[in-house]
Amino acid sequence: MPPIPPSPTPRIVIYYQTQHHPDGSSCSILPIITEPNIAVTHVNLAAIHLNDPPGHITLNNHVPHDHRYVTLWAELRVLQASGIKVLGMLGGAGKGSFTRLDLDEQTFEAYYGPLRDFVRERGLDGLDLDVEEPMTLAGIIRLIDRLKSDFGDSFIITLAPVAAALMSDDPKHNLSGFSYEALEVMRGTQIAWYNTQFYCGWGDLSKTAGYDFMVARGYPQHKIVIGMVTNPSNGSGWVPFETFQEVLITLKSRYPGFGGVMGWEYFNSLPGDRDRPWEWATFMTKHLRAATPGSTVPGTSVQMGSATGAQNKQNPFLLVDRDLKTKEEAPLPKIFDYYSDGSIEE
């Protein structure tokens, strides 16, 4: 099977797990295509879980065809029509999906078949495999091979390792169980990129050292997408915009093939927070994929607009360059709570 061609970089990837506000109203994703000066390339819909018995699939805490998701599926189709690729995120903090896919052949087929049918039914452009539970190398390879066999070369497969997993093969630095270095050697041509988690103590985005080390270890520049929490409420390791801007500028100038950035997650992204969560994507577009107003950003059909003075005043991070501030090392991982669709108990 030929390797998949790299998608245009730098990418801007948004994780979209919280689709509703606490009052039940929709947290619309459409502003990323209706607001000016935004060129998001990919949206990862989170989180898909494979439950018992086989065929019981949930999107967060509800079945995908639940009435609460009618608006969601309609909006995602609009994004795709606008040139943005929509992937489903499988797994994450909710464990069990990959354990079930890592068992004997008969059990694998029982759980995999409904997942394949779900991806087809919803027209997803790919899957982001967020393996945060022990899985064998043979198990993840089997899953990747089946997805490519069933959906073809154009189907996007990404993984979401913690940053430490790409810097060391020590099991203590890895939530997935298998070696990413070995996976890259054996199936790297089928993996589009890695949404690398530089937060919750697994990495530090206040400096470029982590990305530099991954490249030095042999990971291709275009396959490392650096991941950040978009709000301190979403986990430890938040990096202020003034600092992160310097990191982005350095990485983009140092590495012509820089893979891009991903944010966890959309609904409360700063600087706009819950009222204007799309402003995070505006900031990233300015520093990674800025183009002439009215032109089409490579890799998408999204046209760049021109921001108004009022919008610029609402988001001063887009205009001023501030001195780089000293930041402490990211703290060790710890339990934290914040509102999301995936944290609601039935």
Side-chain angles (χ1 to χ4, degrees):
M1 184 179 293
I4 56 174
S7 60
T9 55
R11 307 174 190 89
I12 299 176
V13 181
I14 287 178
Y15 277 85
Y16 184 38
Q17 177 174 37
T18 301
Q19 300 105 22
H20 301 87
H21 297 293
D23 62 4
S25 61
S26 174
C27 177
S28 176
I29 191 73
L30 289 184
I32 67 171
I33 60 173
T34 60
E35 293 293 323
N37 298 327
I38 295 178
V40 170
T41 59
H42 301 81
V43 169
N44 289 355
L45 175 65
I48 301 166
H49 301 297
L50 308 184
N51 310 286
D52 287 324
H56 178 35
I57 296 177
T58 52
L59 176 59
N60 297 319
N61 297 322
H62 302 271
V63 293
H65 57 269
D66 189 279
H67 182 73
R68 68 190 283 113
Y69 295 132
V70 170
T71 299
L72 165 72
W73 294 120
E75 291 192 351
L76 293 180
R77 288 192 293 271
V78 173
L79 295 190
Q80 289 175 311
S82 301
I84 294 175
K85 299 297 185 182
V86 175
L87 288 73
M89 189 203 90
L90 178 65
K95 297 176 173 57
S97 298
F98 293 103
T99 297
R100 297 177 176 100
L101 291 170
D102 199 25
L103 299 175
D104 61 89
E105 199 68 32
Q106 182 177 359
T107 305
F108 171 82
E109 293 296 337
Y111 286 100
Y112 173 79
L115 172 65
R116 175 199 59 216
D117 296 343
F118 164 72
V119 171
R120 284 176 175 164
E121 177 187 0
R122 296 300 174 180
L124 298 177
D125 297 301
L127 278 181
D128 178 57
L129 308 179
D130 187 1
V131 188
E132 298 189 15
E133 57 186 307
M135 189 178 195
T136 64
L137 180 62
I140 192 66
I141 287 176
R142 176 174 62 179
L143 177 57
I144 291 172
D145 287 349
R146 281 299 301 276
L147 288 170
K148 282 298 183 180
S149 175
D150 288 336
F151 293 100
D153 294 343
S154 63
F155 190 76
I156 303 170
I157 295 177
T158 60
L159 284 95
V162 295
L166 298 190
M167 292 187 280
S168 169
D169 273 346
D170 189 327
K172 294 184 298 183
H173 301 156
N174 190 337
L175 295 176
S176 308
F178 56 82
S179 164
Y180 279 89
E181 185 174 24
L183 180 63
E184 175 66 15
V185 170
M186 299 180 71
R187 288 297 185 276
T189 56
Q190 310 309 320
I191 298 169
W193 68 86
Y194 298 98
N195 292 305
T196 314
Q197 301 180 46
F198 280 85
Y199 44 85
C200 290
W202 297 106
D204 181 6
L205 281 184
S206 68
K207 58 190 72 172
T208 68
Y211 185 96
D212 294 332
F213 189 69
M214 292 174 189
V215 173
R217 289 197 75 197
Y219 288 97
Q221 300 173 23
H222 72 274
K223 294 184 69 171
I224 305 173
V225 171
I226 57 175
M228 63 180 294
V229 286
T230 59
N231 187 308
S233 298
N234 298 353
S236 62
W238 158 258
V239 178
F241 281 94
E242 301 95 323
T243 301
F244 192 60
Q245 175 176 292
E246 298 298 326
V247 171
L248 286 179
I249 292 172
T250 301
L251 289 176
K252 189 177 179 182
S253 61
R254 184 177 295 168
Y255 301 102
F258 173 54
V261 64
M262 71 85 162
W264 179 271
E265 59 171 309
Y266 172 71
F267 83 106
N268 63 348
S269 299
L270 295 179
D273 212 325
R274 298 189 186 198
D275 292 334
R276 301 173 63 86
W278 57 86
E279 288 186 350
W280 179 88
T282 310
F283 176 91
M284 298 303 160
T285 300
K286 172 182 172 63
H287 293 287
L288 291 181
R289 298 179 65 85
T292 304
S295 65
T296 300
V297 177
T300 75
S301 60
V302 180
Q303 286 195 333
M304 297 295 289
S306 57
T308 65
Q311 288 166 332
N312 289 338
K313 290 178 181 178
Q314 290 172 357
N315 191 352
F317 298 106
L318 304 184
L319 297 178
V320 297
D321 294 329
R322 300 176 181 172
D323 293 335
L324 190 65
K325 297 181 180 179
T326 302
K327 181 182 180 300
E328 297 179 356
E329 293 294 326
L332 293 175
K334 59 183 179 180
I335 299 298
F336 61 94
D337 294 311
Y338 72 104
Y339 169 77
S340 79
D341 278 7
S343 61
I344 302 174
E345 295 295 334
E346 293 290 355

